[in-house]
Amino acid sequence: MNVIEAIEQRRSIRKFAADPLDEKTVLELLAAAHHAPSGNNSQPWRFLVVEDPALRERLARVCHGQLWMAQAPVHIVICADLSAREGSGERFDEETPGMDAKRVIRDTAIAADHLLLRAVELGLGTCWIGWYLQDEIRPLLAIPEQVFVLGVLIVGKPAEAPGPRPRYPLAKLVYRETWGIPYCLP
Ligand SMILES: Cc1cc2nc3c(=O)[nH]c(=O)nc-3n(C[C@H](O)[C@H](O)[C@H](O)COP(=O)(O)O)c2cc1C
């Protein structure tokens, strides 16, 4: 599979088979994420792998009761560590202003997407879960306050094959040379 095939075939999967993932596979996913580029090569991403069924269920409850999440045998909690930048030690939550916070989120999001695409290549299903509050998810996993939970990527063998979700026409999103001038895609 090449990169464009992985990009085009990725879907958010919300039904999973019970089959567990082996550690080698999990490490392959994490290695792909760790190849991501980051500003100043700061690599602010941190990963927390949750496999314990009871903890997965508690995670699903914190994510506004999305209990179907718990079916996925592995939950990879993608974290952005502000201490990788100047803002070391500061509390980092939904209200945090400042460029360092934006930078570590930006870089960590790239790593997360690498992981999602590698999962497609390995025949795995994923869904990025982002519906929770920092102050509710962090205590559950003993995550410190300068670490922002960017997403919970749930991973497993897919038990559904949804079609592509719609995207806005690219022509509406692309400008030529200066803002507002349509690129005029065919
Ligand atoms: C930052 C982020 C947060 C998301 N949070 C959730 C979520 O909490 N629950 C859920 O079912 N899907 C969630 N999704 C999945 C989106 O709904 C999905 O990506 C979108 O509908 C497009 O579908 P596709 O991923 O199949 O292309 C999230 C995706 C992203 C990128």
Side-chain angles (χ1 to χ4, degrees):
M1 177 178 287
N2 59 36
V3 175
I4 189 63
E5 287 170 336
I7 289 170
E8 289 180 352
Q9 288 177 27
R10 188 207 54 78
R11 304 276 183 272
S12 290
I13 296 297
R14 298 182 179 87
K15 286 198 176 89
F16 295 88
D19 313 34
L21 296 194
D22 58 30
E23 192 175 297
K24 180 173 168 286
T25 303
V26 173
L27 286 171
E28 284 186 38
L29 294 170
L30 296 169
H34 195 37
H35 278 295
S38 57
N40 299 103
N41 201 20
S42 56
Q43 304 162 66
W45 43 77
R46 308 289 180 263
F47 309 113
L48 209 161
V49 179
V50 177
E51 293 170 302
D52 177 70
L55 202 46
R56 276 171 16 225
E57 193 187 315
R58 291 176 71 194
L59 259 177
R61 290 192 186 285
V62 160
C63 294
H64 291 88
Q66 299 184 74
L67 296 181
W68 54 270
M69 282 172 59
Q71 296 167 18
V74 176
H75 290 189
I76 301 180
V77 183
I78 306 286
C79 300
D81 189 351
L82 192 54
S83 68
R85 289 270 177 184
E86 301 279 307
S88 172
E90 285 171 24
R91 186 181 150 80
F92 191 5
D93 62 20
E94 290 85 352
E95 309 301 323
T96 302
M99 269 314 288
D100 279 338
K102 292 169 190 157
R103 287 184 181 112
V104 302
I105 287 177
R106 172 199 63 197
D107 294 341
T108 305
I110 302 169
D113 196 50
H114 277 39
L115 194 156
L116 296 180
L117 295 178
R118 178 69 168 134
V120 178
E121 190 183 27
L122 295 174
L124 297 169
T126 57
C127 189
W128 183 321
I129 303 294
W131 193 23
Y132 49 76
L133 295 172
Q134 296 298 314
D135 278 346
E136 291 181 6
I137 198 167
R138 282 194 294 226
L140 185 60
L141 304 168
I143 297 172
E145 285 201 334
Q146 83 278 8
V147 173
F148 187 89
V149 178
L150 192 69
V152 179
L153 305 190
I154 61 170
V155 191
K157 189 174 161 197
E160 63 169 353
R165 274 88 185 195
R167 295 294 187 262
Y168 300 123
L170 197 52
K172 288 193 168 187
L173 309 175
V174 185
Y175 302 132
R176 187 184 289 277
E177 312 299 356
T178 53
W179 189 266
I181 310 298
Y183 190 76
C184 297
L185 291 172

